[in-house]
Amino acid sequence: MLQEESDLALIIAQIVQKLKGSNLYAQLERQAWGSWEKRILKSLNSMCTELSIPLARKRPVGEQKELLNKWNEMGTDEPDLSLFRPVYAPKDFLEVLINLRNPNYENGDSHSFRTHLGLIQVPLKVKDIPELKEFFVELGLTAGQLGIDDSTQVPPELFENEHVRIGQKVLSEQDSAAAQQYIRQGSPTALRAELWALILNISSQPEDILYYEQLKTNVIQHDLLVDSLIYKDVKLTASNDDYYFVFEDYLYQVLLCFSRDTSVLGHFAYNSASPPKSYIRGKLGLEEYAVFYPPNGVIPFHGFSMYVAPLCFLYHEPSKLYQIFREMYVRFFFRLHSISSHPSGIVSLCLLFETLLQTYLPQLFYHLREIGAQPLRISFKWMVRAFSGYLATDQLLLLWDRILGYNSLEILAVLAAAVFAFRAVNLMEVTSLAAAEAVLADLSTLKVMPLLQIFLFATVT
């Protein structure tokens, strides 16, 4: 009896300690995000002051007509953006994550985490390799995979033809859950747009098209400072990308409408962040005069447009493209630039990546750490952009198939670790961060599925 009471007391103590830790971490999330948010808003307000530009203004009638006339060819416009700068870049956000600390563990409450030598110092629970193998079981060596088994060496009748037939059946039945399960083995190119729309529950009803047109009208009527940040980001990223420069007009249309979409604010209900606020002139600090800015609560950062660019290959009707992107953002992408303890949040992804390398490729991890080339400083930008702009588009879409199929972003951290494993021999010879970055500068020739499969099921035990 005494033993049972002792065991029960131990269990209760562990639960209390866990709750204490989680509560402290929730508080940490809010404090860290609050501090980061203030920094972003300060940068935005400084830009307003320096350039003598308001956060928002109504466009004169002539300007409205001009914008409406060139709506489908905004890429030909060359506004002077030289004085505008991105509010922040992924590397700035990484510094915030590196400085996160949970005071509950600073006092030595978690001995096991003290052996973690990466940059992330918040002891969240992340999956180990056995758990990842179980979670991603459909990626196993015995399962058929688009991205592997549709290669020229394998007769298509062995897998691809049958996979296409099953995909067509899934679409005919309009079963979202079945589509999500099916896509874990990859989507045939011809079926991908319909499958993703089915999984995301996007059906393009007349009211959806009308809503998009209303957002467009708002863009035509009002000019926001963030519009220039969007223009600048597209010019710096997608416009210079061999795959995506042709979609420049689509990117402007989608992102400008997105900035006005107040329905996006709904994702803050399950996010530790809060949407930034602005105040009517002369009413600073008075909540009744506060408005969310921008209206969707999302301030774009350097590379933000790359969340949209790959979707342009699949959807050519602007309102449908817009709906798909918005749903991808509120389900997945917002987690890549906000602070949370969610398994798909960027903090957990960073920790998962570092843990995989330290545990299963310790020699490589310690070597890079010793020469001042912490692996996360290289891989962070890949994960924040969900590898968009780094992988060839066909490979990126195969990767995003699995994000949708597993309803998880954890595969990004696994792929980042797999890339390091693949280039391990070359990385062991480098002697500086710059040299390590050079080895990993070009990922455009990588084949995603073989890398993931080999790393999870063949290399690591």
Side-chain angles (χ1 to χ4, degrees), residues 316-359:
H316 309 299
E317 199 279 304
S319 68
K320 182 74 171 282
L321 170 62
Y322 178 75
Q323 290 177 73
I324 295 289
F325 164 66
R326 181 180 62 189
E327 192 61 27
M328 288 288 285
Y329 180 82
V330 300
R331 285 200 193 192
F332 302 111
F333 297 147
F334 84 91
R335 298 195 184 281
L336 297 175
H337 64 96
S338 57
I339 299 170
S340 81
S341 55
H342 192 280
S344 282
I346 191 63
V347 182
S348 293
L349 298 186
C350 291
L351 185 56
L352 175 58
F353 165 74
E354 290 191 320
T355 302
L356 287 173
L357 279 193
Q358 184 178 335
T359 306

Coordinates of all heavy atoms in Angstrom, one line a residue, residues 316-359:
H316 N -4.8 28.6 -61.6 CA -4.7 29.8 -62.5 C -5.8 30.7 -62.5 O -5.8 31.7 -63.2 CB -4.4 29.3 -64.0 CG -3.4 28.2 -64.1 ND1 -2.1 28.5 -63.7 CD2 -3.4 26.9 -64.4 CE1 -1.3 27.4 -63.9 NE2 -2.1 26.4 -64.3
E317 N -6.8 30.4 -61.7 CA -8.0 31.3 -61.5 C -7.7 32.0 -60.2 O -7.6 31.4 -59.1 CB -9.3 30.5 -61.4 CG -10.5 31.3 -61.7 CD -11.0 32.0 -60.5 OE1 -11.2 31.4 -59.4 OE2 -11.1 33.3 -60.6
P318 N -7.6 33.4 -60.2 CA -7.2 34.1 -59.0 C -7.9 33.8 -57.8 O -7.3 33.7 -56.7 CB -7.3 35.6 -59.5 CG -7.2 35.5 -61.0 CD -7.8 34.2 -61.4
S319 N -9.3 33.8 -57.8 CA -10.0 33.6 -56.5 C -9.8 32.2 -56.0 O -9.7 32.0 -54.7 CB -11.5 33.8 -56.7 OG -12.1 32.8 -57.6
K320 N -9.6 31.2 -56.8 CA -9.3 29.8 -56.3 C -7.9 29.8 -55.7 O -7.7 29.2 -54.7 CB -9.4 28.8 -57.5 CG -9.2 27.3 -57.2 CD -10.4 26.8 -56.4 CE -10.3 25.2 -56.3 NZ -10.6 24.5 -57.5
L321 N -6.9 30.4 -56.5 CA -5.6 30.4 -56.0 C -5.5 31.1 -54.6 O -4.9 30.7 -53.7 CB -4.7 31.2 -57.0 CG -3.3 31.6 -56.5 CD1 -2.4 30.4 -56.3 CD2 -2.6 32.5 -57.6
Y322 N -6.3 32.2 -54.5 CA -6.4 32.9 -53.2 C -6.9 32.1 -52.1 O -6.3 32.0 -51.0 CB -7.2 34.2 -53.4 CG -7.3 34.9 -52.1 CD1 -6.2 35.7 -51.6 CD2 -8.4 34.8 -51.2 CE1 -6.3 36.3 -50.4 CE2 -8.5 35.4 -50.0 CZ -7.4 36.1 -49.5 OH -7.4 36.7 -48.3
Q323 N -8.0 31.4 -52.3 CA -8.6 30.5 -51.3 C -7.6 29.4 -50.8 O -7.5 29.2 -49.6 CB -9.9 29.9 -51.8 CG -11.0 30.9 -52.0 CD -12.2 30.1 -52.6 OE1 -12.9 29.4 -51.9 NE2 -12.5 30.3 -53.9
I324 N -7.0 28.8 -51.8 CA -6.0 27.7 -51.4 C -4.9 28.3 -50.6 O -4.5 27.7 -49.5 CB -5.5 27.1 -52.7 CG1 -6.6 26.4 -53.5 CG2 -4.3 26.1 -52.4 CD1 -7.1 25.1 -52.9
F325 N -4.3 29.4 -51.0 CA -3.2 30.0 -50.2 C -3.7 30.4 -48.8 O -3.0 30.1 -47.8 CB -2.6 31.2 -50.9 CG -1.8 32.1 -50.0 CD1 -0.6 31.6 -49.5 CD2 -2.2 33.3 -49.6 CE1 0.2 32.3 -48.6 CE2 -1.5 34.1 -48.7 CZ -0.3 33.6 -48.2
R326 N -4.8 31.0 -48.7 CA -5.3 31.5 -47.4 C -5.5 30.3 -46.5 O -5.1 30.3 -45.3 CB -6.6 32.2 -47.5 CG -7.2 32.7 -46.2 CD -8.5 33.5 -46.4 NE -9.5 32.6 -46.9 CZ -10.7 33.0 -47.3 NH1 -11.0 34.3 -47.3 NH2 -11.6 32.1 -47.8
E327 N -6.0 29.2 -47.0 CA -6.2 28.0 -46.2 C -4.9 27.3 -45.8 O -4.7 26.9 -44.7 CB -7.1 27.0 -46.9 CG -7.7 25.9 -46.0 CD -8.5 26.3 -44.8 OE1 -9.1 27.4 -44.9 OE2 -8.6 25.6 -43.8
M328 N -4.0 27.3 -46.7 CA -2.6 26.8 -46.4 C -2.0 27.6 -45.3 O -1.3 27.1 -44.5 CB -1.7 26.8 -47.7 CG -2.1 25.7 -48.7 SD -1.7 24.0 -48.2 CE 0.1 24.0 -48.5
Y329 N -2.2 28.9 -45.4 CA -1.5 29.8 -44.4 C -2.1 29.6 -43.0 O -1.4 29.4 -42.1 CB -1.7 31.3 -44.8 CG -1.1 32.2 -43.8 CD1 0.3 32.4 -43.8 CD2 -1.8 32.7 -42.8 CE1 0.9 33.2 -42.9 CE2 -1.2 33.5 -41.8 CZ 0.1 33.8 -41.8 OH 0.7 34.5 -40.9
V330 N -3.4 29.6 -42.9 CA -4.0 29.5 -41.6 C -4.0 28.1 -41.0 O -4.1 27.9 -39.8 CB -5.5 30.0 -41.5 CG1 -5.6 31.4 -42.0 CG2 -6.4 29.1 -42.4
R331 N -3.7 27.1 -41.8 CA -3.5 25.7 -41.3 C -2.0 25.5 -41.0 O -1.7 24.8 -40.0 CB -4.0 24.7 -42.4 CG -5.4 24.5 -42.5 CD -5.8 23.2 -43.1 NE -7.2 23.1 -43.5 CZ -7.8 22.0 -43.9 NH1 -7.1 20.8 -43.9 NH2 -9.0 22.0 -44.3
F332 N -1.1 25.9 -41.9 CA 0.3 25.6 -41.7 C 1.3 26.7 -41.6 O 2.0 26.8 -40.7 CB 0.7 24.7 -42.9 CG -0.2 23.4 -43.1 CD1 -1.0 23.3 -44.2 CD2 -0.1 22.4 -42.2 CE1 -1.8 22.2 -44.4 CE2 -0.8 21.2 -42.4 CZ -1.7 21.1 -43.5
F333 N 1.3 27.6 -42.6 CA 2.4 28.5 -42.8 C 2.6 29.5 -41.6 O 3.7 29.9 -41.3 CB 2.3 29.3 -44.1 CG 2.4 28.4 -45.3 CD1 1.7 28.7 -46.5 CD2 3.2 27.2 -45.3 CE1 1.8 27.9 -47.6 CE2 3.3 26.4 -46.5 CZ 2.5 26.8 -47.6
F334 N 1.5 29.9 -41.0 CA 1.6 30.9 -39.9 C 2.5 30.3 -38.8 O 3.1 31.0 -38.1 CB 0.2 31.3 -39.3 CG -0.4 30.3 -38.3 CD1 -0.1 30.5 -37.0 CD2 -1.1 29.2 -38.7 CE1 -0.7 29.6 -36.0 CE2 -1.7 28.4 -37.8 CZ -1.4 28.5 -36.4
R335 N 2.5 29.0 -38.6 CA 3.3 28.3 -37.6 C 4.8 28.5 -37.8 O 5.6 28.3 -36.9 CB 2.9 26.8 -37.5 CG 1.5 26.6 -37.1 CD 1.3 25.2 -36.6 NE -0.1 24.9 -36.3 CZ -0.7 25.2 -35.2 NH1 -0.1 25.9 -34.3 NH2 -2.0 25.0 -35.1
L336 N 5.2 28.8 -39.0 CA 6.6 28.9 -39.4 C 7.2 30.3 -39.0 O 8.4 30.5 -39.1 CB 6.8 28.6 -40.9 CG 6.4 27.2 -41.3 CD1 6.5 27.0 -42.8 CD2 7.3 26.2 -40.6
H337 N 6.3 31.2 -38.6 CA 6.9 32.5 -38.2 C 6.2 33.0 -37.0 O 6.1 34.3 -36.8 CB 6.8 33.5 -39.4 CG 5.5 33.9 -39.8 ND1 4.8 35.0 -39.4 CD2 4.6 33.3 -40.7 CE1 3.6 35.1 -40.0 NE2 3.5 34.1 -40.8
S338 N 5.8 32.1 -36.1 CA 5.2 32.5 -34.8 C 5.8 31.6 -33.7 O 6.2 30.5 -34.0 CB 3.7 32.5 -34.8 OG 3.2 31.3 -35.2
I339 N 5.8 32.1 -32.5 CA 6.4 31.4 -31.4 C 5.3 30.6 -30.7 O 4.3 31.1 -30.2 CB 7.0 32.4 -30.4 CG1 8.1 33.2 -31.1 CG2 7.6 31.6 -29.2 CD1 8.7 34.3 -30.2
S340 N 5.5 29.3 -30.7 CA 4.5 28.4 -30.0 C 5.2 27.1 -29.6 O 6.3 26.8 -30.1 CB 3.3 28.1 -30.8 OG 3.5 27.1 -31.8
S341 N 4.5 26.3 -28.8 CA 5.1 25.0 -28.4 C 4.4 23.8 -29.3 O 4.6 22.7 -29.0 CB 4.8 24.7 -26.9 OG 3.4 24.8 -26.6
H342 N 3.7 24.2 -30.3 CA 3.0 23.2 -31.1 C 4.0 22.4 -31.8 O 5.1 22.9 -32.3 CB 2.1 24.0 -32.1 CG 1.1 23.1 -32.9 ND1 1.5 22.3 -34.0 CD2 -0.2 22.8 -32.7 CE1 0.5 21.6 -34.4 NE2 -0.6 21.9 -33.7
P343 N 3.7 21.1 -32.0 CA 4.7 20.2 -32.7 C 5.1 20.6 -34.1 O 6.2 20.3 -34.6 CB 4.0 18.8 -32.7 CG 3.0 18.9 -31.6 CD 2.6 20.3 -31.5
S344 N 4.2 21.4 -34.8 CA 4.5 21.9 -36.1 C 5.0 23.3 -36.1 O 5.2 24.0 -37.1 CB 3.3 21.8 -37.0 OG 3.1 20.5 -37.5
G345 N 5.1 23.9 -34.9 CA 5.6 25.3 -34.7 C 7.1 25.3 -35.0 O 7.8 24.3 -34.9
I346 N 7.6 26.5 -35.4 CA 9.0 26.6 -35.8 C 9.9 26.3 -34.7 O 11.0 25.8 -34.9 CB 9.3 28.0 -36.4 CG1 10.6 28.1 -37.1 CG2 9.1 29.1 -35.3 CD1 10.8 27.2 -38.3
V347 N 9.6 26.6 -33.4 CA 10.5 26.2 -32.3 C 10.7 24.7 -32.2 O 11.8 24.2 -32.1 CB 9.9 26.8 -30.9 CG1 10.9 26.5 -29.8 CG2 9.7 28.3 -31.0
S348 N 9.6 24.0 -32.3 CA 9.7 22.5 -32.2 C 10.4 22.0 -33.4 O 11.2 21.0 -33.3 CB 8.2 21.9 -32.2 OG 7.6 22.2 -30.9
L349 N 10.2 22.5 -34.6 CA 10.9 22.1 -35.8 C 12.4 22.3 -35.7 O 13.2 21.4 -36.1 CB 10.4 22.8 -37.1 CG 8.9 22.6 -37.4 CD1 8.6 23.3 -38.8 CD2 8.5 21.1 -37.5
C350 N 12.8 23.4 -35.1 CA 14.2 23.7 -34.9 C 14.8 22.7 -34.0 O 15.9 22.1 -34.2 CB 14.4 25.1 -34.4 SG 14.1 26.4 -35.6
L351 N 14.1 22.4 -32.9 CA 14.6 21.5 -31.9 C 14.6 20.1 -32.4 O 15.6 19.3 -32.2 CB 13.7 21.6 -30.6 CG 14.1 20.7 -29.4 CD1 15.5 21.1 -29.0 CD2 13.1 20.9 -28.3
L352 N 13.6 19.7 -33.2 CA 13.6 18.4 -33.8 C 14.8 18.2 -34.7 O 15.5 17.2 -34.7 CB 12.3 18.1 -34.6 CG 12.2 16.8 -35.4 CD1 12.3 15.6 -34.5 CD2 10.8 16.8 -36.1
F353 N 15.0 19.2 -35.6 CA 16.2 19.2 -36.5 C 17.5 19.0 -35.7 O 18.3 18.1 -36.0 CB 16.2 20.4 -37.3 CG 17.5 20.7 -38.0 CD1 17.9 19.9 -39.2 CD2 18.4 21.6 -37.6 CE1 19.1 20.2 -39.8 CE2 19.6 21.9 -38.2 CZ 20.0 21.1 -39.3
E354 N 17.7 19.8 -34.7 CA 19.0 19.7 -34.0 C 19.1 18.4 -33.2 O 20.2 17.8 -33.2 CB 19.0 20.9 -33.0 CG 19.2 22.3 -33.6 CD 19.6 23.4 -32.6 OE1 19.0 23.4 -31.5 OE2 20.4 24.2 -33.0
T355 N 18.0 17.9 -32.7 CA 18.0 16.7 -31.9 C 18.4 15.5 -32.8 O 19.1 14.6 -32.5 CB 16.7 16.4 -31.2 OG1 16.4 17.5 -30.4 CG2 16.7 15.1 -30.4
L356 N 17.8 15.5 -34.0 CA 18.1 14.4 -35.0 C 19.6 14.4 -35.4 O 20.2 13.4 -35.4 CB 17.2 14.6 -36.3 CG 15.7 14.3 -36.1 CD1 15.0 14.7 -37.4 CD2 15.5 12.8 -35.8
L357 N 20.1 15.6 -35.6 CA 21.5 15.7 -36.0 C 22.4 15.3 -34.8 O 23.4 14.5 -35.0 CB 21.9 17.1 -36.4 CG 21.6 17.5 -37.9 CD1 22.3 18.8 -38.2 CD2 22.0 16.4 -38.9
Q358 N 22.1 15.8 -33.6 CA 23.0 15.5 -32.5 C 22.9 14.1 -32.1 O 23.9 13.5 -31.7 CB 22.6 16.4 -31.3 CG 23.5 16.2 -30.1 CD 23.2 17.1 -28.9 OE1 22.6 18.2 -29.1 NE2 23.6 16.7 -27.7
T359 N 21.8 13.4 -32.2 CA 21.6 12.1 -31.8 C 22.1 11.1 -32.8 O 22.7 10.1 -32.5 CB 20.1 11.8 -31.5 OG1 19.6 12.8 -30.6 CG2 19.9 10.4 -30.9

